[in-house]
Amino acid sequence: MEALFSTVTGFLAASGLYLALRGRTFPVVVGLTLLSYAVNLFLFSTGGLTTDGAAVISDDAARYADPLPQALVLTAIVIGFAMTAFSVILAMRVRGDLGSDQVNDQREESKEEKS
Amino acid sequence: MALPLIVLLPLLGSLVSLMGNNRQRNVLTVMTAILPAIALAIVLVHVPDVLAGNVPRFAIPWVPQLGLDFALRLDGLSLLFLLLILGIGLLIVLYARYYLSPEDSMPRFYSYMMLFMTSMIGIVMADNLLLLWVFWELTSLSSFLLIGYWYHQSEARRGARMALTVTGMGGLALLAGFLLIGHIVGTFDLQTVLDSRELILADPRYLPALLLVLLGAFTKSAQFPFHFWLPHAMAAPTPVSAFLHSATMVKAGVFLLARMHPALAGSQLWLYIVTLTGLVTMIYAAYFALLKYDLKGVLAFSTVSHLGLITMLFGLDSKLAVVAGLFHIINHATFKAALFMSAGIIDHESGTRDIRKLSGLRHYMPVTAVLALLAAASMAGVPLLNGFLSKEMMLTETLGTGILGGLAWLIPVLATIGSLLSVAYSLRYVRNVFFGPKAEDLPQTPHEAPFFMRLPMMVLVALCIVIGLLPALSVTGLLEAAAQATLLSPRPELHLAIWHGFNLPLLMSAVALAGGAGLYCVRRKLFSFHRQFPQRNALMNFEFNVRRVQTWTQTMIDRLENGSLQRYMLWLIVAVLFLTGSGLLDLTQLTGPTPNQPLDGLLIVGGVITILAGVGTAVMHRRRLVSLIMLSVVGLMVSLAFARFSAPDLALTQLAVEVVTVILLMLALFFLPQRTPKESSGGRIIRDVLLAAGFGGVVTSLNYALLTRPLDTISGFFLDNSVSGGGGHNVVNVILVDFRGFDTLGEITVLCIAAIGIYKLLNRLRLFMPSSDSEGRPWSKDLHPMLLGTVSQSLLPLALLVSVFIFLRGHNEPGGGFIAGLVTAVALILLYIARGVDWAQERLSFHYQPIAVSGVTIAAFTGLGSWVFGHNFLTSAFGHFTIPYIGEIELATAMFFDLGVYLTVVGATLMILANLGKLTTPHRPSKENSKETL
């Protein structure tokens, strides 16, 4: 189970990074979102993978999942949404003002592409 | 204790003079002079005490953690310098009153001057290395202001900049040196450092410490090869030059040599570096002094030359050499200040400082001529004046040195040559300017300066004569006290006398005088000899080099920061791979001792779907809508994973966030191109795939290594204390709103800021709105399908009810402010989608910005509330209450905090989505407004 979980995390991270390396805004935003899924899963797994752990404190609970990574990830999810929203709307603003959805200065981009 | 007053009174004076009026010049002068005069009086009161060998001290801690104390001392060396700084400073204040023209701002001048005086006094009185350094930096800054006083002149600005750069770099080196010494000795207390010579000399860090301290001293006192800033500092008004380059600024460097002498001197290294630097500077600068045509240029180079002489004396390995150095500090200050003042008077009264134009001025200004003649004679070392005495001592000491072994004769020979050059340029200064035929073509007809402008010169020249004639009576006591402080040895017996009988030093003096006169007579040959060398301007060279450094750094910046996001990401990821990869390499094996938990079919299917969807998102990225759908599959699978691994709160949050994220991205996609054009080259794709694969591999390895190792967690504390301390059974929620409430407060603040930022970004944004999708199909005419509208309307109350339920039970069951907020937001957004922004806006007539802001405010005030009850920030209280018909429920103050979270999430989410959605309505207000304005 641990092997499968970490494989999933790795694939998500790799796909997210590949998209983040693209030259247009939308794939970059999608890539960052994907990357944040991977990071959240990773962070979550630092508390161990608990099956059938009790969610709330009760007297007859056999075991609990580690609550601390959960609290951290919960805020990370919401912050991740704020970041995605901000970057995508920045991308729209750039398109509105500059008429382009490229992440790089165009001149530099062509130089970069040639090299 | 009166010691701090000596430092603080001039500092106060710097404020007092700023309050003065530029038109009431006499009042301003008196106002400015009065405070340093009191400080001088305090110093004079201490004179008998200090001459008796006592050292008054004062200390209060300033930043004890750094070892920085505001510690002052008044020993013989401080006394010598204090008399020079305050005495000559007061004379300069008087002189400047007449020198500055009515257009110059006198309050500003005096204020800078007093600030500079304060910093100099601080240097010489500091009893703590770090405090000394603080004042040292202050002299660099205030001298920058003084040199650049005429800031409308380019020369002044550039000269000031160069002085600041050179002395500022030296100051940094000095700080490093002091820190090293502090580490060696273990304290920055001056006395302890001075008493630890053996410890310091034996330490391997002695060499860097010495070099750094000397770098500081040499840049400050303009020693070769750092001498070049001083001549360009002559762009300052002459009173500034007279003060900075006779008694203060440059003397700070030689003061440092004297101050650190007990701690650092005594090694071969010190002997050679300091002596030879001084000697080279002395001869090199004296040669250039002879060639200059500008009166102040002559004086500037002669200053450098005499500082070289003093430096050389401090380097020599004899106690009397140090005494001679201290003596020459006094003598140089008196005659050089007088000479600068004479140059200022000449410039002021005749309008030029060019030696080639000036001639026969003794006919116009006889008194100034006599005074300048006497001061220049002292500089040349003519007997019966004070310059002669210290020069004789210097020549005596060079004869006795053991430096350079068999070539030791070279030192006295070179010293004699230096003196000879000094005689030649002194003679040239006096003879060319004051004698000869009356100059006719001067910019203005010269006349004698006002009496009070000449008075400071008279005082200084009188001192030259008194010290020269009666050394035993006038300065012996002071010199003995200063030497005692510098050498940290019992007081040496000094026998200063004019006549020591016929001996070798007297012969050397005579040779210097005669040779100097001879050289002066043949100076024209020297000039034409010098003319064959290309003339170089130090300022130009300096600025050229500075510009070259700038160009170089700009090139480096351009190369590193070329505007390509990919390039930055590349560096970042390579660094991450390197750091984490090297950490993984250190593991003996990837799999840890904890065994894998068994897999089941459901998990495998879920894992495979997630991987496929994730990879699909990347592969299909050029078809953006498909990619987005794949992304939403990943989000859904992630939330299922959270549910599977016992994290219901996370699953709910992820699910709700997934909905808003996808809606947001779809809205954005409406305005952005539907497809990504193919533009990456094959090589680029291979590079990125390799990079991504490497990154994914590292993440997987790291995650696997982590998961198969025993877990050591601090969560036991939260599980144990959640009910008793936080009053809630849902530990995750209790952590969020109670244990780690401060983090959550910060987090919702960020959320709110992001939403406000987005709101501003969307303000007056105008975008092209496509009427069809990328394949040319027009958008559906049915903007608001009735089915959706009906469903959403009937769902809304239900959804709101659910969110209240989730909110209320959040403390004890899965739920809470975050999830409830997201559920509410999703319900409202659904209404927007189904009915359109206009329809929704009419019925939901509130703004979301105040909601988000009030959420943060409520959360913050809940935290502050616990202060009222004397608890720490965000301490929660809880109790059980019985509500009729509902039963007993538990209420905690954390509930208010959670309410703040709820409001922030609702406000921020809707602020983002509703405002973005507004752009899609064809008759949005911003567009109409802009049309009207057009």
Side-chain angles (χ1 to χ4, degrees):
Chain A
M1 189 155 74
E2 277 78 3
L4 179 67
F5 188 91
S6 40
T7 311
V8 170
T9 321
F11 266 100
L12 292 187
S15 311
L17 178 66
Y18 177 80
L19 285 175
L21 285 168
R22 297 303 92 208
R24 302 276 174 161
T25 51
F26 194 78
V28 170
V29 174
V30 170
L32 289 179
T33 313
L34 211 49
L35 206 54
S36 73
Y37 289 151
V39 170
N40 286 345
L41 282 177
F42 188 103
L43 209 55
F44 171 69
S45 74
T46 55
L49 302 176
T50 316
T51 309
D52 295 333
V56 297
I57 302 279
S58 60
D59 296 333
D60 53 349
R63 54 181 165 158
Y64 299 103
D66 193 340
L68 189 61
Q70 293 193 21
L72 294 178
V73 171
L74 201 152
T75 53
I77 292 172
V78 181
I79 283 280
F81 166 66
M83 184 203 71
T84 306
F86 192 86
S87 47
V88 80
I89 285 171
L90 192 64
M92 289 171 60
R93 181 87 213 186
V94 167
R95 180 160 158 83
D97 290 357
L98 306 176
S100 157
D101 72 333
Q102 298 196 336
V103 291
N104 299 339
D105 187 348
Q106 299 224 7
R107 189 165 36 85
E108 301 290 343
E109 166 71 7
S110 56
K111 211 192 288 173
E112 176 84 354
E113 283 292 325
K114 272 175 208 150
S115 62
Chain B
M1 286 297 278
L3 287 192
L5 283 181
I6 304 175
V7 182
L8 296 177
L9 282 175
L11 185 63
L12 190 65
S14 129
L15 296 176
V16 166
S17 36
L18 267 188
M19 283 179 252
N21 187 332
N22 200 19
R23 271 177 237 138
Q24 294 168 320
R25 308 199 129 205
N26 291 334
V27 180
L28 186 59
T29 311
V30 172
M31 265 169 59
T32 306
I34 206 153
L35 288 167
I38 297 173
L40 182 61
I42 297 173
V43 173
L44 290 176
V45 168
H46 281 91
V47 165
D49 197 23
V50 176
L51 289 190
N54 296 322
V55 180
R57 281 198 165 85
F58 171 87
I60 46 169
W62 186 359
V63 190
Q65 294 87 345
L66 296 178
L68 171 58
D69 296 331
F70 190 78
L72 301 174
R73 61 150 64 193
L74 183 55
D75 59 9
L77 186 63
S78 312
L79 179 68
L80 188 157
F81 270 90
L82 280 176
L83 292 175
L84 289 178
I85 295 164
L86 286 163
I88 296 186
L90 282 169
L91 294 177
I92 300 282
V93 167
L94 178 62
Y95 177 82
R97 150 73 184 83
Y98 294 93
Y99 180 85
L100 291 176
S101 68
E103 298 91 68
D104 297 326
S105 163
M106 269 176 85
R108 193 161 64 87
F109 181 86
Y110 280 147
S111 180
Y112 292 167
M113 176 101 181
M114 290 297 117
L115 187 64
F116 181 78
M117 198 188 262
T118 309
S119 40
M120 272 311 294
I121 294 173
I123 289 184
V124 300
M125 289 185 72
D127 200 15
N128 177 295
L129 285 186
L130 291 180
L131 185 71
L132 196 162
W133 182 78
V134 169
F135 284 115
W136 182 277
E137 287 298 280
L138 207 55
T139 56
S140 292
L141 292 176
S142 48
S143 68
F144 171 77
L145 294 172
L146 279 171
I147 297 171
Y149 173 74
W150 282 326
Y151 53 73
H152 52 274
Q153 293 177 359
S154 152
E155 279 292 307
R157 290 196 305 269
R158 288 154 68 192
R161 206 157 53 212
M162 185 156 82
L164 181 67
T165 314
V166 176
T167 57
M169 280 192 321
L172 278 181
L174 181 64
L175 176 64
F178 277 174
L179 290 178
L180 277 177
I181 292 175
H183 270 277
I184 296 172
V185 181
T187 174
F188 292 106
D189 175 61
L190 187 63
Q191 194 57 49
T192 320
V193 170
L194 296 186
D195 288 337
S196 321
R197 181 202 298 241
E198 279 79 22
L199 185 67
I200 297 174
L201 289 193
D203 198 282
R205 287 167 287 182
Y206 170 68
L207 174 65
L210 176 70
L211 291 180
L212 289 165
V213 170
L214 287 183
L215 199 59
F218 289 169
T219 48
K220 201 72 154 190
S221 42
Q223 294 299 294
F224 184 85
F226 308 108
H227 62 281
F228 54 87
W229 67 266
L230 195 142
H232 290 280
M234 290 297 138
T238 303
V240 172
S241 312
F243 193 41
L244 261 58
H245 304 136
S246 67
T248 53
M249 178 81 171
V250 292
K251 290 284 168 64
V254 287
F255 169 81
L256 188 70
L257 293 180
R259 185 50 105 201
M260 300 308 289
H261 197 275
L264 296 176
S267 65
Q268 287 290 307
L269 214 55
W270 170 283
L271 179 67
Y272 275 89
I273 298 177
V274 179
T275 310
L276 294 182
T277 307
L279 195 63
V280 169
T281 310
M282 174 169 127
I283 294 180
Y284 177 87
Y287 172 72
F288 278 95
L290 192 55
L291 298 171
K292 289 287 154 187
Y293 291 112
D294 179 8
L295 282 183
K296 280 178 80 178
V298 174
L299 293 179
F301 275 102
S302 90
T303 301
V304 176
S305 169
H306 281 263
L307 285 166
L309 191 160
I310 298 169
T311 304
M312 179 189 79
L313 285 171
F314 282 137
L316 287 175
D317 48 353
S318 105
K319 292 189 171 173
L320 277 176
V322 173
V323 177
L326 292 170
F327 192 23
H328 200 67
I329 287 177
I330 304 177
N331 297 338
H332 176 252
T334 49
F335 66 67
K336 192 51 67 68
L339 282 171
F340 268 115
M341 287 178 184
S342 75
I345 290 178
I346 294 165
D347 186 17
H348 200 254
E349 304 303 337
S350 69
T352 180
R353 297 196 311 244
D354 193 329
I355 292 185
R356 285 165 298 190
K357 290 185 189 156
L358 293 165
S359 171
L361 286 188
R362 72 191 161 100
H363 301 292
Y364 299 107
M365 39 176 84
V367 181
T368 309
V370 171
L371 293 173
L373 176 67
L374 286 168
S378 176
M379 177 159 80
V382 173
L384 301 183
L385 292 163
N386 60 356
F388 170 72
L389 295 175
S390 46
K391 190 158 283 188
E392 283 280 292
M393 284 176 80
M394 181 269 284
L395 292 172
T396 312
E397 292 313 315
T398 55
L399 282 172
T401 179
I403 191 174
L404 292 181
L407 291 175
W409 54 270
L410 209 54
I411 306 280
V413 168
L414 290 174
T416 312
I417 293 176
S419 309
L420 187 150
L421 288 165
S422 180
V423 172
Y425 63 67
S426 303
L427 195 56
R428 177 162 170 258
Y429 185 92
V430 175
R431 170 78 175 62
N432 283 28
V433 172
F434 292 106
F435 294 88
K438 272 188 177 184
E440 296 303 336
D441 53 346
L442 291 174
Q444 61 196 65
T445 313
H447 54 81
E448 193 59 271
F451 174 73
F452 282 107
M453 198 169 178
R454 279 177 283 142
L455 182 64
M457 271 181 82
M458 289 179 190
V459 175
L460 291 167
V461 171
L463 274 176
C464 289
I465 297 171
V466 170
I467 297 174
L469 289 177
L470 303 166
L473 279 179
S474 53
V475 289
T476 305
L478 182 62
L479 268 185
E480 282 178 352
Q484 190 186 6
T486 310
L487 297 167
L488 280 194
S489 59
R491 175 165 297 207
E493 286 290 313
L494 289 184
H495 301 288
L496 299 178
I498 306 170
W499 183 249
H500 287 284
F502 289 104
N503 53 13
L504 198 50
L506 188 67
L507 179 67
M508 288 156 77
S509 258
V511 167
L513 281 172
L519 183 64
Y520 171 73
C521 294
V522 297
R523 67 187 184 281
R524 289 185 203 291
K525 288 197 173 133
L526 187 69
F527 291 169
S528 53
F529 167 75
H530 184 71
R531 231 170 267 135
Q532 66 182 321
F533 297 108
Q535 299 295 308
R536 282 179 312 157
N537 184 333
L539 191 62
M540 296 291 213
N541 275 349
F542 175 78
E543 294 199 334
F544 174 74
N545 284 326
V546 168
R547 216 164 294 139
R548 221 164 49 178
V549 171
Q550 275 175 350
T551 321
W552 182 77
T553 46
Q554 190 60 48
T555 323
M556 291 309 287
I557 289 171
D558 287 346
R559 200 166 293 170
L560 287 172
E561 198 181 324
N562 63 347
S564 162
L565 187 67
Q566 285 96 323
R567 175 75 67 95
Y568 308 157
M569 295 273 290
L570 183 71
W571 285 113
L572 202 67
I573 298 301
V574 167
V576 167
L577 285 182
F578 179 75
L579 291 173
T580 47
S582 63
L584 283 170
L585 285 180
D586 287 343
L587 293 180
T588 44
Q589 57 171 13
L590 186 63
T591 313
T594 316
N596 263 331
Q597 297 175 47
L599 278 169
D600 58 42
L602 211 59
L603 276 174
I604 295 174
V605 171
V608 169
I609 291 177
T610 318
I611 290 175
L612 287 179
V615 174
T617 314
V619 172
M620 309 292 255
H621 79 270
R622 292 187 44 235
R623 293 166 67 188
R624 293 179 172 183
L625 188 61
V626 180
S627 176
L628 185 55
I629 292 169
M630 296 277 196
L631 181 74
S632 69
V633 173
V634 177
L636 206 60
M637 294 312 292
V638 168
S639 82
L640 285 177
F642 287 143
R644 169 68 180 74
F645 295 116
S646 322
D649 288 283
L650 286 190
L652 283 171
T653 315
Q654 177 69 55
L655 201 59
V657 163
E658 195 49 39
V659 174
V660 281
T661 307
V662 171
I663 293 173
L664 171 83
L665 289 180
M666 286 186 73
L667 267 173
L669 198 51
F670 175 68
F671 292 107
L672 293 170
Q674 312 290 309
R675 283 167 180 271
T676 308
K678 187 173 165 52
E679 54 189 9
S680 295
S681 60
R684 170 61 72 91
I685 289 174
I686 290 174
R687 186 194 83 180
D688 289 352
V689 166
L690 285 179
L691 203 61
F695 184 65
V698 164
V699 169
T700 300
S701 315
L702 208 58
N703 202 0
Y704 186 67
L706 197 72
L707 280 171
T708 51
R709 277 169 172 72
L711 183 68
D712 188 21
T713 173
I714 56 166
S715 296
F717 169 83
F718 299 118
L719 291 168
D720 293 341
N721 289 288
S722 176
V723 178
S724 56
H729 289 81
N730 180 1
V731 189
V732 176
N733 186 264
V734 174
I735 291 176
L736 282 176
V737 298
D738 192 334
F739 291 128
R740 309 291 305 159
F742 200 53
D743 292 354
T744 312
L745 180 62
E747 196 245 355
I748 57 175
T749 313
V750 172
L751 184 65
C752 189
I753 292 171
I756 291 169
I758 288 169
Y759 180 68
K760 286 307 286 178
L761 276 177
L762 290 172
N763 191 24
R764 304 182 78 88
L765 174 63
R766 278 192 284 169
L767 283 167
F768 166 71
M769 266 198 293
S771 56
S772 63
D773 74 356
S774 56
E775 274 145 28
R777 288 176 297 224
W779 298 119
S780 163
K781 291 269 181 269
D782 188 6
L783 287 175
H784 309 296
M786 184 153 118
L787 192 62
L788 186 59
T790 317
V791 170
S792 69
Q793 248 172 300
S794 46
L795 264 181
L796 182 66
L798 203 61
L800 290 179
L801 197 66
V802 167
S803 73
V804 171
F805 173 67
I806 288 178
F807 175 77
L808 281 178
R809 70 172 208 161
H811 219 45
N812 289 313
E813 298 281 331
F818 274 113
I819 304 166
L822 285 165
V823 170
T824 308
V826 170
L828 291 173
I829 288 164
L830 187 62
L831 200 66
Y832 273 90
I833 294 174
R835 291 289 184 169
V837 175
D838 295 331
W839 188 93
Q841 211 89 54
E842 267 172 40
R843 284 156 186 82
L844 302 169
S845 57
F846 36 74
H847 293 285
Y848 296 110
Q849 295 89 293
I851 295 180
V853 173
S854 65
V856 177
T857 317
I858 288 174
F861 272 96
T862 313
L864 291 176
S866 45
W867 279 354
V868 179
F869 300 100
H871 294 290
N872 284 332
F873 188 66
L874 277 172
T875 309
S876 75
F878 60 92
H880 297 264
F881 302 92
T882 311
I883 298 177
Y885 304 113
I886 295 178
E888 189 188 89
I889 66 158
E890 187 186 288
L891 283 178
T893 54
M895 190 76 97
F896 290 109
F897 186 79
D898 222 8
L899 180 67
V901 173
Y902 171 82
L903 289 175
T904 313
V905 171
V906 173
T909 313
L910 282 168
M911 211 199 295
I912 297 168
L913 284 171
N915 284 310
L916 180 57
K918 225 188 278 177
L919 294 181
T920 57
T921 53
H923 48 88
R924 56 208 146 124
S926 63
K927 195 178 172 186
E928 278 172 11
N929 290 345
S930 56
K931 258 184 195 164
E932 281 162 20
T933 50
L934 285 171

